[in-house]
Amino acid sequence: MLKIAIIGCGGAGKSTLAKKLGKILNIPVYHLDSIFWKPGWQPIERDELIEKTMEIQETNQWIIDGNYGSTMDLRLQQADTVIFLHYSTIRCLYGIVKRRIQYHNKTRPDMGEDCKERLDWEFFNWVRTYNQKKSPQVLKRLSTLKETKIHIFTSPKQLEHFLKELKVKTNN
């Protein structure tokens, strides 16, 4: 596990997992949200996101969390391990509401500078429909990866078990 892509619905805990894995494996962590969003929720251009993702992927070790369809195939092709947090819609909606309360008027550590936590209808609806609209596409993409170790977790309990085993293997 040297090049790890973490994907999944908003609110599933991708960034939290990335930080935990980074500590356990001592691998640099990159949050696509912090790369994509400039101060005040201004997005970077698609080409710039692709370029920055490719720069990260040129390194020997990385953990990248985020979805971003424009770079997903690049990440999936380069990763030796993919972790898909395939949680229930209710679990993810809970996650985004909890995060909104926890970071009220603050910027999350995994977010771009001066991007105070927000929860708008567009994002809520994206999370609400992710398992219907996006998950089937993700699973199809993952099914084409032959040389990649793929972990699909459907509950936080499964993920915690995986992390405990990993800690034992790495003595962390």
Side-chain angles (χ1 to χ4, degrees):
M1 292 178 71
L2 299 174
K3 297 180 178 186
I4 305 165
I6 302 172
I7 56 177
C9 187
K14 296 179 297 294
S15 297
T16 301
L17 172 59
K19 287 182 243 176
K20 287 179 181 180
L21 276 178
K23 283 183 181 176
I24 293 168
L25 301 171
N26 196 27
I27 294 176
V29 173
Y30 302 91
H31 305 288
L32 288 180
D33 279 341
S34 69
I35 295 168
F36 182 77
W37 294 108
K38 294 189 287 190
W41 291 99
Q42 295 301 309
I44 63 173
E45 295 293 324
R46 180 182 188 274
D47 290 343
E48 186 179 353
L49 179 62
I50 292 169
E51 182 180 318
K52 288 180 182 237
T53 302
M54 290 174 78
E55 286 173 12
I56 294 166
Q57 290 179 307
E58 289 174 9
T59 62
N60 293 329
Q61 299 179 326
W62 46 261
I63 298 170
I64 302 174
D65 82 80
N67 290 304
Y68 295 92
S70 61
T71 64
M72 186 177 288
D73 285 334
L74 293 171
R75 287 176 282 127
L76 295 181
Q77 290 166 9
Q78 293 293 317
D80 59 44
T81 305
V82 175
I83 298 174
F84 179 28
L85 299 181
H86 191 23
Y87 295 167
S88 72
T89 300
I90 293 296
R91 173 77 184 144
C92 295
L93 288 171
Y94 169 78
I96 63 170
V97 171
K98 178 183 171 195
R99 183 170 71 196
R100 173 64 174 92
I101 293 167
Q102 180 179 357
Y103 290 100
H104 179 69
N105 274 338
K106 297 178 197 157
T107 299
R108 296 190 328 255
D110 54 294
M111 185 54 72
E113 181 184 331
D114 193 33
C115 291
K116 292 181 179 172
E117 187 62 24
R118 65 183 185 183
L119 180 56
D120 57 23
W121 174 249
E122 183 180 354
F123 182 62
F124 182 88
N125 200 44
W126 182 82
V127 171
R128 186 182 66 79
T129 61
Y130 181 89
N131 281 329
Q132 293 170 317
K133 294 181 177 180
K134 298 293 182 184
S135 286
Q137 297 168 12
V138 169
L139 291 168
K140 187 175 181 178
R141 281 176 163 162
L142 295 180
S143 73
T144 66
L145 303 175
K146 303 300 178 206
E147 303 296 319
T148 308
K149 181 69 178 163
I150 299 169
H151 299 278
I152 300 174
F153 298 106
T154 58
S155 73
K157 188 177 265 189
Q158 286 178 334
L159 177 60
E160 285 306 314
H161 180 73
F162 170 79
L163 290 173
K164 283 180 186 175
E165 285 184 357
L166 190 59
K167 285 179 186 178
V168 169
K169 288 179 186 173
T170 60
N171 295 317
N172 274 338

